[in-house]
Amino acid sequence: MSTVLATPSYIKYESVPGYFLQDLDSTNATTFNFMTTNFGLRNRTYTSSSNSTEVGTTENQTQWERFARQVWQLNEESDYGVEYKVLFIGRHGEGYHNTAESYYGTPAWNCYYSQLDGNGTVTWADAQLTPNGITQAQAVNAFWAKEITEQNIPTPQKFYTSPLSRCCATAALTFTGLSLPASQPFIPEVKELLREWISGHTCDRRSNMSYIKANYPTFTFEEGFQEVDPLWNATFVETSSAQNERSRSVLDDIFMNDPSTYISITTHSGEAASMLSVLGHRPFSLSTGAVIPILVRAETVLGRPPFPTRQPWTVISTCATLPPSPTPTTDEAKWSGARMMRIQ
């Protein structure tokens, strides 16, 4: 009896330009504020590709209502194997590891202090949010509430988060208490591969599953999520190609198994950058607490994927056993303020 082999296929991602200010090369990521620009949604009208009539341009429609109509129409008119989703990719609020790196300076942080659990006053292993990070997440919550009321923005139908504490806290602070549809409540799913770039930095070593459950009892976990962190390694560093492969894997999982059109992902600066690269979006760095919406076209293509070869992880580079002299990138007052709350 002959064996029929399945035809290989892969998902081709494309960030669709022309809808958000973040798509434009002229938009400066360092100074851009998504909360003063309607998430960056451009003020424009839309034209149907089938009959060349304007879609959703009546005076009583908000810009987000027009955009939602456009996304619906793109999906209605798309070919077989093609779908459009809107991803709200958010970075966690400021964590204690961020203030530690600012205090010690990036060179000293990377080669020495990041391998420690803390400094005896502040703990940054699986870093918690600082008071400023909490305030950042609360501000995004207020912004979402305003957008829901004034723009009737389509809220996420599904929520995903990194398993690291700063992301779980950010997601909870951002979406708890919002006026969400009863059929689409804030019940996030924790996904292992949404974590930060993996290295010997203890801030990126996640807590046990039982700890996450105890602190976020309404959160759910993807199938196969393990009690103990299976990925963090004190000796080896994930290469950029390996991280991009990981990002593609988690995006494939979401796109293949989640029918939602609007999706929230709470993650990290490095992982967000990797996801943007996989999605074909131009580089756009996110400050702590920032969110970027992306319209994604995903097409299932027959054939073997033309992706770069994944490079193996490398050995972490550290400095001498004696700590190097700090080269602060922020003032002592900021660090002193962060030290006020010790994380146990």
Side-chain angles (χ1 to χ4, degrees):
M1 182 176 179
S2 62
T3 301
V4 178
L5 300 177
T7 303
S9 64
Y10 65 95
I11 300 178
K12 178 183 178 182
Y13 295 106
E14 177 187 354
S15 172
V16 185
Y19 293 93
F20 296 98
L21 295 172
Q22 296 93 317
D23 302 336
L24 304 175
D25 291 338
S26 58
T27 301
N28 187 330
T30 303
T31 59
F32 183 76
N33 187 338
F34 72 98
M35 290 192 286
T36 61
T37 55
N38 202 17
F39 270 112
L41 184 63
R42 299 175 67 183
N43 189 15
R44 51 166 289 186
T45 57
Y46 302 102
T47 302
S48 166
S49 60
S50 60
N51 56 23
S52 298
T53 59
E54 287 190 337
V55 177
T57 57
T58 57
E59 291 184 1
N60 63 342
Q61 284 190 312
T62 69
Q63 194 59 45
W64 270 102
E65 288 172 331
R66 298 176 186 178
F67 174 73
R69 171 68 182 182
Q70 173 71 0
V71 174
W72 173 85
Q73 184 156 348
L74 286 171
N75 277 316
E76 281 291 299
E77 298 178 350
S78 63
D79 295 330
Y80 178 78
V82 175
E83 67 173 329
Y84 293 82
K85 292 184 186 293
V86 178
L87 305 183
F88 292 95
I89 300 177
R91 182 186 177 187
H92 61 78
E94 180 188 73
Y96 279 92
H97 65 306
N98 297 127
T99 57
E101 181 177 356
S102 295
Y103 174 71
Y104 289 114
T106 297
W109 169 258
N110 282 338
C111 81
Y112 183 82
Y113 292 99
S114 62
Q115 283 86 56
L116 306 178
D117 284 353
N119 63 0
T121 301
V122 170
T123 298
W124 51 71
D126 190 14
Q128 303 283 344
L129 295 181
T130 67
N132 182 52
I134 293 172
T135 299
Q136 290 173 336
Q138 290 171 334
V140 180
N141 175 278
F143 177 63
W144 267 108
K146 179 174 179 287
E147 290 287 284
I148 292 170
T149 300
E150 297 181 2
Q151 284 284 320
N152 193 27
I153 186 174
T155 53
Q157 299 160 296
K158 183 70 176 180
F159 303 84
Y160 296 100
T161 181
S162 157
L164 292 165
S165 291
R166 55 194 181 272
C167 284
C168 292
T170 298
L173 289 167
T174 298
F175 294 107
T176 298
L178 293 178
S179 180
L180 301 174
S183 60
Q184 298 160 1
F186 172 62
I187 304 179
E189 180 177 306
V190 180
K191 298 188 80 64
E192 189 77 79
L193 299 186
L194 288 177
R195 62 194 300 154
E196 181 59 294
W197 170 65
I198 305 170
S199 68
H201 293 199
T202 62
C203 59
D204 301 325
R205 183 186 66 214
R206 74 163 170 86
S207 299
N208 290 347
M209 180 180 181
S210 55
Y211 172 89
I212 303 172
K213 280 186 174 180
N215 284 273
Y216 304 96
T218 62
F219 285 24
T220 62
F221 295 82
E222 65 183 343
E223 184 178 355
F225 194 88
Q226 299 180 35
E227 168 65 14
V228 178
D229 190 338
L231 297 179
W232 186 84
N233 190 302
T235 305
F236 292 96
V237 178
E238 185 179 37
T239 58
S240 59
S241 60
Q243 183 176 13
N244 284 350
E245 183 179 273
R246 169 165 64 87
S247 300
R248 181 176 295 278
S249 176
V250 72
L251 285 168
D252 286 352
D253 180 36
I254 292 172
F255 273 77
M256 288 189 295
N257 297 297
D258 191 339
S260 303
T261 300
Y262 298 90
I263 293 174
S264 168
I265 296 174
T266 304
T267 186
H268 309 261
S269 59
E271 180 56 19
S274 176
M275 295 179 78
L276 262 60
S277 176
V278 169
L279 294 171
H281 194 281
R282 78 181 187 97
F284 197 92
S285 59
L286 297 179
S287 59
T288 51
V291 181
I292 180 172
I294 304 174
L295 176 60
V296 179
R297 181 184 185 274
E299 179 181 4
T300 300
V301 178
L302 297 179
R304 299 192 179 279
F307 306 142
T309 302
R310 179 179 65 87
Q311 298 301 314
W313 290 26
T314 59
V315 177
I316 191 170
S317 176
T318 60
C319 49
T321 55
L322 292 177
S325 300
T327 54
T329 55
T330 189
D331 54 82
E332 172 67 19
K334 180 177 180 181
W335 175 248
S336 298
R339 291 191 305 182
M340 295 297 291
M341 183 181 295
R342 179 172 180 172
I343 303 298
Q344 300 298 333

